[in-house]
Amino acid sequence: MPTYKAPLRDMKFVMNELLEADQHLAAMPYYKDNDTADADLLGQVLDEAARFVETEVLPLNQVGDREGCVRDEHGNVTTPSGFKAAYRKFCDAGWPGLDADPQWGGQGMPHLVSIAMNEMITGANVAWGMYPGLSHGAYSALAAVGTDELKQLYLPKIVSGEWSGTMCLTEPHAGTDLGIIRTKASDNGDGSYSITGTKIFISAGEHDLTDNIVHLVLARLEGSPAGTKGISLFLVPKFIPASDGSLGERNGVVCGSLEHKMGIHGNATAVLNFDGARGWLVGEVNKGMNHMFIMMNAARLGTGLQGLGLGEVAYQNALAYAKDRLQMRHEPRVSREAADPIIVHPDVRRMLLTGKAYTEAGRALALWLALSLDTEHHHPDEAKRKEAGDLVALLTPIAKAFMTDNGFNVAVQSQQVFGGHGYIAEWGMEQFVRDARIGQIYEGTNGIQALDLLGRKVLMDGGKKLQSLAGTLQAFVEEHEGDEAIGDYVNQLGKAAQQLGSLTMVIGQKAMSGPEGADEVNAAAVDFLRFFGHVVYGYLWARMAKLAQDKIDGGFDKDGFYLGKVQTAKFYFAKLFPETKALAATIKAGNDPLAVDDRAVFGWEPDLAHA
Amino acid sequence: MPTYKAPLRDMKFVMNELLEADQHLAAMPYYKDNDTADADLLGQVLDEAARFVETEVLPLNQVGDREGCVRDEHGNVTTPSGFKAAYRKFCDAGWPGLDADPQWGGQGMPHLVSIAMNEMITGANVAWGMYPGLSHGAYSALAAVGTDELKQLYLPKIVSGEWSGTMCLTEPHAGTDLGIIRTKASDNGDGSYSITGTKIFISAGEHDLTDNIVHLVLARLEGSPAGTKGISLFLVPKFIPASDGSLGERNGVVCGSLEHKMGIHGNATAVLNFDGARGWLVGEVNKGMNHMFIMMNAARLGTGLQGLGLGEVAYQNALAYAKDRLQMRHEPRVSREAADPIIVHPDVRRMLLTGKAYTEAGRALALWLALSLDTEHHHPDEAKRKEAGDLVALLTPIAKAFMTDNGFNVAVQSQQVFGGHGYIAEWGMEQFVRDARIGQIYEGTNGIQALDLLGRKVLMDGGKKLQSLAGTLQAFVEEHEGDEAIGDYVNQLGKAAQQLGSLTMVIGQKAMSGPEGADEVNAAAVDFLRFFGHVVYGYLWARMAKLAQDKIDGGFDKDGFYLGKVQTAKFYFAKLFPETKALAATIKAGNDPLAVDDRAVFGWEPDLAHA
């Protein structure tokens, strides 16, 4: 059975040494007033979170995969053994409201801590973690744009964990393309709306963990314009509560079936049929897409964390196996048995270091974004809020796509360390691969993330957000290019950052050059995101290596933690960062090699008469 | 439900136009005498094979995945619904003996045809195909080194498909490292041996398709030297046959359990307990590893075909979905609906073309190796046999590892084309991913293939085999470097081939430079194999593009098939081949970034007192 230990040491290194989080948080009155800015306190919360996750959540991971969720003939869904009891303990300890506002019963902790805990939860049991994860998304959207009445009725119950939340976007014919959804809303004239339609792929869509489920549903109000500009957001509770929060009648939303999936079996992926269900408008009419993006951005970072958590747990187990498994001789010998632990073989080390390098950089990125979220929401200085918000907007698609792609690849390579045993269910490695695969698909496929990054976040504002980050990188490069420890990395980083800028210019020019411009953006986007991801990870690894080398030079590396950082940075720049060389070439190749003859290559004739 | 059409047109293109197979086969008396060298006949066999596979084998793929194999308390195993009936039809039609020698009841067809059919079978249903696949391996080993008595008793039954075969190598503590196996053999003094031990991960190890199962088992004869030089190969039948082939007593080999696996559920992966089972020596005492390699090389090419077949079927289904699924607008519009078929979006085309480019090059490699196997075994000219044998030896690890890595990646990207639907079982895409994953692990992990390639096949003979292939490439480059159609590809190929040579020199020098030399080989091997794979695929794509362009120029491209080849070659060199740029850098980086401090990076202290 796989094991998992929350990477507390590394989390605290990132928070305290890399980000110097307590100094930043102390500058924000919200955290100062809530007494939640202190590094020691945050560390204690993380320790407690780790204990909870390792004790209560981890043991349910394989059970959840084996049992899955079961739907009865009435549409009721039972979660796997132990899920409900663990969820209850989770609520009793106040974890659902960790970073929620105290006015709704939350603890007012920074995102920094809740995001670190989310990494732990997904590492231990991603399917279980999705139930509170979705609730958190619903909380964010409702808190941001709900009416006071809706907030007062729903938020305390969501923050306490008594009720859970969902995001209802996808329909059978509409996934990426929400502009064509058909679910309808009509005004009941009493402040409520009547919602009718079918939503699919609704994670945590129906279950037995909570008394009530609060669905946030995209639907089209009668008479609204076509496309994304005619979509509104509605709150549709499973049971309609009275104003005191007591549960009233069952609403017209039923789970029609559960999907049989590749992984995340412990989470109920529901088809939800809304049949004249009563709903309440959240935010403004026809602004549903904008409002939903509040949830989606949080969900995208949350999905990135799944890649991180699953990469970490897969790496941890591969590392343990590699120390234990004796196979083939090595010179010099390190065992008196007939074979040596496979960790001595360089190719095994390559696979393990890939896991370590990607997860530790991913953690640094995730917590950097978490602190930036805190800054965006709570810094007293508007310019700081804006700067942080821009960074979050720019890097969220990278956090989602790069972290889930790397997480999946790390899970696959960690499975490979196990040889044949990696393919066998009882070892648990194949579950990590299956569970990690969904992160690349949902909450906007990674291809869509890439378009969001290149099209919307980089090109649409004329490269301003990118230039702001490039300035930070440039300053770092100039400061350290002669550095003995990291000068070589910094040079590589500086060249890649410049190349990112020039590639952006080239794509931007092509994008504006004619009717095929959009195709050029689409053709380059995925490789561009990956290139950008390496620039970000390269920056973070160079910074971590510098910090660590200083500690070593100061005589503070008692357990080798800092030497580990320095050597992993070296590995990253030698073995992973060079992917940028291939990506630069494929980005430059543009759309031309993709603009093939449809009939010849794909056996497909566009029906141009219909166009 | 996924569909599959055997890629007959492409197979015939490779056989007839790229390889000009009939001319080569006609030069070999074995095929000439068996009347199996004629291109039309081979084409008809392929057509018939496609009909059988599409009608009988394909419909059982999802059933097999859902039902799996079931073992009862006595160790009997039932295969999924329909597997047995399809297998019977397969035998009735004579398919098991397609390329077997007529003296044992085979049809004497070239490997070229049987390997093409194997691709079809794995594309349609890899789990089902493994049953006859393993039998074929057992046939090869027995035919090559068995005694006349064993051959006469067993081969006709294996060739007819009445009995099946297995390869029993792995033990719980010994997978990659067969030198440490513990299964024992003792001489019964009557020409038979008594075999005792436990074998795991035995594909097709126990089932209900055949009356008897012929296990080929690696075991250690009492008094044999330690390591791989003390291992012998034994034939252990499930039922001991009388000399007339009638079945006698049940032998002491029992299926102790079946593994629960990530995929290939329809194939029984058995733990086999040998408890004083009677066996017969195959080949020479203590030469078991050499003999087993006869099976393993065939099995490795067969595993490569799994990557090819699964890549092909995943690509076919992604292509069909991309034509059908309407999502997001594109300019110019190609649909009168609110959204266009996703095949118009460049990033979707990128994923599809990746599938097409890798599978078509893989098919060319597989059939080139198949024809080389035919030449190695049956050419009258010894020099030709040696040359072909060297090529097969050199390229088999590439066929196994590069084709299964690409096959898995193509399956994953094809799944991605489906968005959320790709994660749902009923669409079948996630099964392709799960089924494809094992190919990278079994029959020697892809890391082991890379070591076999770089250490044994390239460096151990001083680079002679590599130089021979390099000569072929060099001649091709010189002939076509000014060519209008492929000159650019040929230049890229020529540079990469030279770089492959220089990288080999560098690694070779490091390998001999001291005690850490072996680590340098181990550190470079996986990236080296991938680089080498691209050189081989680049060569094949350039050749195919040249052939196709000539056909277009001659006015012979009626349906666009050749234009498709030309444009896919362009895509390959623009978007996939540039991976070599990254690989060259990571190969050059060598073992140094992997030679990290064990305690600091991995929290591991080698127990050197034991060394």
Side-chain angles (χ1 to χ4, degrees):
Chain A
M1 192 157 105
T3 58
Y4 174 74
K5 283 281 170 194
L8 290 167
R9 175 72 196 270
D10 196 49
M11 288 174 168
K12 292 175 186 175
F13 165 76
V14 172
M15 288 185 187
N16 300 331
E17 298 178 55
L18 183 69
L19 301 175
E20 296 175 318
D22 54 348
Q23 293 179 33
H24 290 281
L25 293 170
M28 305 179 207
Y30 177 85
Y31 297 114
K32 195 98 181 105
D33 297 349
N34 285 328
D35 281 329
T36 51
D38 176 66
D40 286 344
L41 171 73
L42 300 185
Q44 285 161 22
V45 173
L46 288 187
D47 293 346
E48 200 51 52
R51 245 190 307 277
F52 179 82
V53 166
E54 292 165 10
T55 315
E56 304 294 340
V57 183
L58 175 66
L60 305 175
N61 192 41
Q62 284 191 299
V63 172
D65 186 59
R66 270 199 309 272
E67 293 186 7
C69 293
V70 180
R71 174 187 167 277
D72 73 13
E73 58 195 310
H74 308 293
N76 300 312
V77 171
T78 308
T79 54
S81 308
F83 270 43
K84 191 170 178 170
Y87 182 76
R88 186 146 302 167
K89 286 185 191 172
F90 182 76
C91 297
D92 290 347
W95 294 117
L98 190 59
D99 64 10
D101 198 309
Q103 71 171 305
W104 309 118
Q107 304 195 30
M109 291 275 171
H111 284 92
L112 194 68
V113 168
S114 62
I115 278 174
M117 185 179 191
N118 275 354
E119 186 208 316
M120 298 181 203
I121 293 174
T122 65
N125 191 334
V126 66
W128 184 90
M130 288 168 67
Y131 294 101
L134 269 295
S135 299
H136 191 274
Y139 165 83
S140 305
L142 209 51
V145 295
T147 60
D148 285 345
E149 202 180 336
L150 285 179
K151 286 192 215 177
Q152 276 155 20
L153 183 53
Y154 287 94
L155 286 182
K157 296 286 191 183
I158 293 175
V159 168
S160 71
E162 285 168 89
W163 298 353
S164 68
T166 76
M167 293 169 63
C168 299
L169 290 71
T170 303
E171 299 181 7
H173 70 294
T176 293
D177 194 354
L178 292 172
I180 57 175
I181 63 164
R182 294 180 192 140
T183 295
K184 282 180 195 158
S186 57
D187 194 334
N188 291 333
D190 63 353
S192 75
Y193 295 80
S194 179
I195 313 289
T196 297
T198 299
K199 295 288 180 179
I200 65 169
F201 300 161
I202 309 308
S203 297
E206 178 58 50
H207 58 80
D208 57 0
L209 300 188
T210 56
D211 298 333
N212 203 5
I213 302 177
V214 182
H215 304 291
L216 290 185
V217 186
L218 289 185
R220 195 174 285 290
L221 250 177
E222 283 170 347
S224 287
T228 51
K229 289 173 184 166
I231 296 174
S232 303
L233 180 63
F234 297 90
L235 181 158
V236 181
K238 178 177 168 186
F239 291 95
I240 298 172
S243 57
D244 66 352
S246 62
L247 293 184
E249 62 172 317
R250 184 73 164 82
N251 205 349
V253 48
V254 176
C255 171
S257 65
L258 294 183
E259 304 286 359
H260 296 276
K261 309 182 298 289
M262 184 182 194
I264 51 166
H265 294 165
N267 200 275
T269 305
V271 174
L272 290 185
N273 297 316
F274 295 83
D275 186 11
R278 279 183 80 193
W280 286 265
L281 184 69
V282 177
E284 292 176 49
V285 166
N286 292 340
K287 295 281 183 197
M289 286 297 288
N290 300 33
H291 303 331
M292 200 51 133
F293 262 107
I294 301 168
M295 278 180 83
M296 285 207 281
N297 276 329
R300 284 172 177 184
L301 181 51
T303 304
L305 291 177
Q306 294 178 4
L308 174 57
L310 285 163
E312 171 71 31
V313 69
Y315 163 70
Q316 285 187 19
N317 283 278
L319 177 60
Y321 188 81
K323 295 173 186 175
D324 193 53
R325 175 78 171 174
L326 306 176
Q327 210 79 175
M328 305 303 283
R329 292 192 187 85
H330 180 265
E331 296 301 338
R333 308 293 304 273
V334 294
S335 159
R336 63 175 161 187
E337 307 295 327
D340 292 309
I342 62 173
I343 194 172
V344 296
H345 304 305
D347 188 54
V348 173
R349 297 166 89 84
R350 180 187 61 78
M351 293 189 277
L352 293 173
L353 282 161
T354 299
K356 187 172 165 71
Y358 274 134
T359 53
E360 291 183 7
R363 183 168 303 121
L365 172 59
L367 295 177
W368 183 24
L369 286 182
L371 184 60
S372 302
L373 277 171
D374 292 326
T375 307
E376 181 188 6
H377 292 160
H378 297 297
H379 204 285
D381 180 345
E382 190 185 334
K384 293 261 186 204
R385 289 203 303 274
K386 166 88 166 68
E387 186 189 6
D390 281 353
L391 187 78
V392 170
L394 183 66
L395 296 188
T396 291
I398 294 176
K400 195 279 184 181
F402 198 56
M403 281 165 66
T404 56
D405 282 346
N406 294 336
F408 178 73
N409 292 337
V410 167
V412 168
Q413 292 221 4
S414 299
Q415 181 190 26
Q416 192 75 15
V417 170
F418 281 71
H421 298 280
Y423 202 66
I424 307 300
E426 67 177 297
W427 288 90
M429 300 304 289
E430 60 91 34
Q431 185 190 345
F432 298 141
V433 173
R434 288 185 290 103
D435 285 355
R437 184 68 185 90
I438 190 59
Q440 303 171 285
I441 297 172
Y442 66 9
E443 303 309 339
T445 65
N446 284 0
I448 293 298
Q449 301 302 318
L451 282 175
D452 179 49
L453 174 69
L454 178 56
R456 189 188 304 242
K457 305 294 174 59
V458 169
L459 295 177
M460 238 158 75
D461 73 351
K464 280 197 201 110
K465 290 191 197 73
L466 175 60
Q467 279 160 21
S468 169
L469 178 63
T472 306
L473 295 182
Q474 188 57 30
F476 177 78
V477 167
E478 281 168 18
E479 186 182 345
H480 298 287
E481 59 194 346
D483 189 280
E484 199 180 336
I486 65 164
D488 180 42
Y489 312 153
V490 160
N491 288 331
Q492 288 184 59
L493 174 64
K495 276 181 204 153
Q498 279 194 335
Q499 203 169 19
L500 184 67
S502 59
L503 289 168
T504 304
M505 294 272 284
V506 171
I507 303 166
Q509 279 161 2
K510 285 186 191 170
M512 292 182 298
S513 69
E516 274 85 41
D519 279 353
E520 291 289 350
V521 174
N522 199 305
V526 163
D527 292 336
F528 179 87
L529 184 145
R530 223 174 145 78
F531 191 105
F532 201 158
H534 274 299
V535 169
V536 173
Y537 278 24
Y539 168 62
L540 292 167
W541 266 121
R543 281 183 60 191
M544 291 194 286
K546 177 64 186 162
L547 268 176
Q549 188 61 52
D550 286 350
K551 291 282 183 178
I552 294 168
D553 295 344
F556 297 109
D557 194 20
K558 282 169 197 143
D559 58 357
F561 177 86
Y562 296 110
L563 179 59
K565 281 283 173 207
V566 166
Q567 294 194 328
T568 307
K570 179 177 174 178
F571 168 83
Y572 176 78
F573 279 101
K575 297 286 191 182
L576 302 179
F577 192 78
E579 189 186 355
T580 49
K581 292 177 193 286
L583 293 166
T586 55
I587 293 168
K588 278 182 205 151
N591 185 51
D592 182 48
L594 306 173
V596 297
D597 184 279
D598 281 299
R599 187 177 71 101
V601 175
F602 296 132
W604 178 67
E605 308 258 5
D607 190 0
L608 292 174
H610 288 169
Chain B
M1 192 155 106
T3 58
Y4 175 75
K5 283 281 169 194
L8 290 167
R9 175 75 197 269
D10 197 48
M11 287 174 167
K12 291 175 187 176
F13 165 76
V14 173
M15 287 185 187
N16 300 332
E17 298 178 55
L18 183 70
L19 301 175
E20 296 174 319
D22 54 349
Q23 293 179 33
H24 290 282
L25 293 170
M28 306 179 207
Y30 176 84
Y31 296 115
K32 195 100 182 102
D33 298 349
N34 285 329
D35 282 328
T36 51
D38 177 66
D40 286 344
L41 171 73
L42 300 186
Q44 285 161 23
V45 173
L46 288 188
D47 293 345
E48 201 49 55
R51 247 190 304 276
F52 180 81
V53 166
E54 292 165 11
T55 315
E56 304 294 340
V57 183
L58 175 66
L60 306 175
N61 192 40
Q62 284 191 301
V63 172
D65 186 59
R66 272 199 307 272
E67 294 186 7
C69 294
V70 180
R71 173 186 169 277
D72 73 13
E73 60 195 309
H74 309 293
N76 300 312
V77 171
T78 308
T79 54
S81 307
F83 270 42
K84 190 169 178 171
Y87 182 76
R88 186 146 299 166
K89 286 185 191 172
F90 182 75
C91 297
D92 290 347
W95 293 116
L98 190 59
D99 65 9
D101 198 311
Q103 72 170 306
W104 308 118
Q107 303 193 33
M109 290 276 170
H111 283 90
L112 194 66
V113 168
S114 62
I115 278 173
M117 184 179 192
N118 274 353
E119 187 208 317
M120 299 181 203
I121 294 174
T122 66
N125 190 334
V126 65
W128 184 91
M130 288 169 67
Y131 294 101
L134 270 293
S135 298
H136 192 274
Y139 164 83
S140 305
L142 208 52
V145 296
T147 61
D148 286 345
E149 203 181 334
L150 286 180
K151 286 194 217 178
Q152 276 154 20
L153 184 52
Y154 287 94
L155 287 183
K157 297 285 193 184
I158 293 174
V159 168
S160 70
E162 287 169 88
W163 299 353
S164 68
T166 76
M167 294 169 65
C168 299
L169 289 71
T170 303
E171 300 181 8
H173 69 294
T176 294
D177 193 354
L178 293 171
I180 57 175
I181 63 164
R182 294 180 192 141
T183 296
K184 282 180 193 159
S186 57
D187 194 335
N188 290 335
D190 63 353
S192 75
Y193 295 80
S194 181
I195 313 291
T196 297
T198 298
K199 296 287 182 179
I200 66 168
F201 300 161
I202 308 308
S203 297
E206 177 60 48
H207 58 80
D208 57 359
L209 301 186
T210 57
D211 300 333
N212 203 5
I213 302 177
V214 182
H215 304 291
L216 290 185
V217 186
L218 289 184
R220 196 175 285 290
L221 250 178
E222 283 170 348
S224 287
T228 53
K229 289 174 183 164
I231 295 173
S232 303
L233 181 62
F234 297 90
L235 182 160
V236 181
K238 178 177 168 185
F239 290 97
I240 298 172
S243 56
D244 66 352
S246 61
L247 294 183
E249 62 172 319
R250 183 73 165 80
N251 205 351
V253 49
V254 176
C255 170
S257 66
L258 294 182
E259 304 286 358
H260 296 275
K261 309 182 299 288
M262 184 181 194
I264 54 168
H265 294 164
N267 200 276
T269 304
V271 174
L272 291 184
N273 298 315
F274 295 84
D275 185 11
R278 279 182 80 192
W280 284 265
L281 185 69
V282 177
E284 293 176 49
V285 167
N286 292 341
K287 296 280 183 197
M289 286 296 286
N290 301 35
H291 303 331
M292 201 49 132
F293 263 106
I294 300 167
M295 281 180 80
M296 285 207 282
N297 276 329
R300 283 171 178 186
L301 181 50
T303 304
L305 291 176
Q306 295 178 5
L308 174 58
L310 285 163
E312 171 70 30
V313 70
Y315 163 70
Q316 285 186 18
N317 283 279
L319 177 59
Y321 187 82
K323 294 174 188 177
D324 194 52
R325 175 78 170 174
L326 307 176
Q327 209 80 175
M328 306 303 283
R329 294 193 185 86
H330 181 264
E331 295 303 336
R333 308 293 304 273
V334 295
S335 160
R336 63 176 159 185
E337 307 295 327
D340 292 309
I342 61 172
I343 194 172
V344 296
H345 303 307
D347 188 55
V348 173
R349 298 166 89 85
R350 181 187 61 78
M351 293 190 276
L352 294 172
L353 282 162
T354 300
K356 186 171 165 72
Y358 273 134
T359 54
E360 292 183 7
R363 183 168 302 120
L365 172 60
L367 295 178
W368 182 23
L369 285 182
L371 185 61
S372 301
L373 276 171
D374 292 327
T375 307
E376 181 189 6
H377 293 159
H378 296 298
H379 204 284
D381 180 345
E382 191 185 333
K384 293 261 186 204
R385 290 202 302 275
K386 165 88 167 67
E387 187 189 5
D390 280 354
L391 188 76
V392 170
L394 183 66
L395 296 188
T396 292
I398 293 176
K400 195 279 184 182
F402 198 57
M403 283 164 65
T404 57
D405 282 346
N406 295 336
F408 177 73
N409 292 338
V410 167
V412 168
Q413 292 220 5
S414 299
Q415 181 190 26
Q416 192 75 14
V417 170
F418 281 71
H421 299 279
Y423 202 66
I424 307 300
E426 66 176 299
W427 288 90
M429 300 304 289
E430 59 93 33
Q431 185 189 345
F432 298 141
V433 173
R434 289 185 289 105
D435 285 355
R437 185 67 185 92
I438 190 61
Q440 303 171 285
I441 297 173
Y442 66 11
E443 304 309 340
T445 65
N446 285 0
I448 292 299
Q449 303 301 320
L451 282 174
D452 180 49
L453 174 69
L454 178 56
R456 189 188 305 241
K457 304 294 173 58
V458 169
L459 295 177
M460 237 158 75
D461 74 350
K464 279 196 200 112
K465 289 190 197 73
L466 175 61
Q467 280 160 20
S468 169
L469 177 63
T472 306
L473 296 182
Q474 187 57 29
F476 177 78
V477 168
E478 282 168 17
E479 188 182 344
H480 298 287
E481 58 193 348
D483 189 281
E484 199 181 334
I486 65 165
D488 179 43
Y489 311 154
V490 160
N491 288 333
Q492 288 184 60
L493 174 65
K495 276 182 206 152
Q498 278 194 336
Q499 203 170 16
L500 184 68
S502 59
L503 290 169
T504 305
M505 293 274 284
V506 170
I507 303 167
Q509 278 162 3
K510 284 185 190 170
M512 293 182 298
S513 69
E516 275 85 41
D519 278 352
E520 290 289 350
V521 174
N522 199 306
V526 163
D527 292 335
F528 180 87
L529 184 145
R530 228 179 138 78
F531 191 106
F532 200 157
H534 274 299
V535 169
V536 172
Y537 278 24
Y539 168 61
L540 292 167
W541 266 121
R543 281 184 58 191
M544 292 193 286
K546 175 66 185 161
L547 268 174
Q549 188 61 51
D550 287 351
K551 292 282 185 179
I552 294 169
D553 294 344
F556 297 109
D557 194 20
K558 282 167 199 144
D559 58 356
F561 177 86
Y562 296 110
L563 180 58
K565 282 283 174 206
V566 166
Q567 294 194 329
T568 307
K570 179 177 173 179
F571 168 83
Y572 176 77
F573 279 101
K575 297 287 192 181
L576 301 179
F577 193 78
E579 189 186 354
T580 49
K581 292 178 193 286
L583 294 165
T586 55
I587 293 168
K588 277 182 206 150
N591 185 52
D592 183 47
L594 307 174
V596 296
D597 185 278
D598 282 298
R599 187 177 71 99
V601 176
F602 296 132
W604 179 66
E605 308 258 5
D607 190 359
L608 293 172
H610 288 169

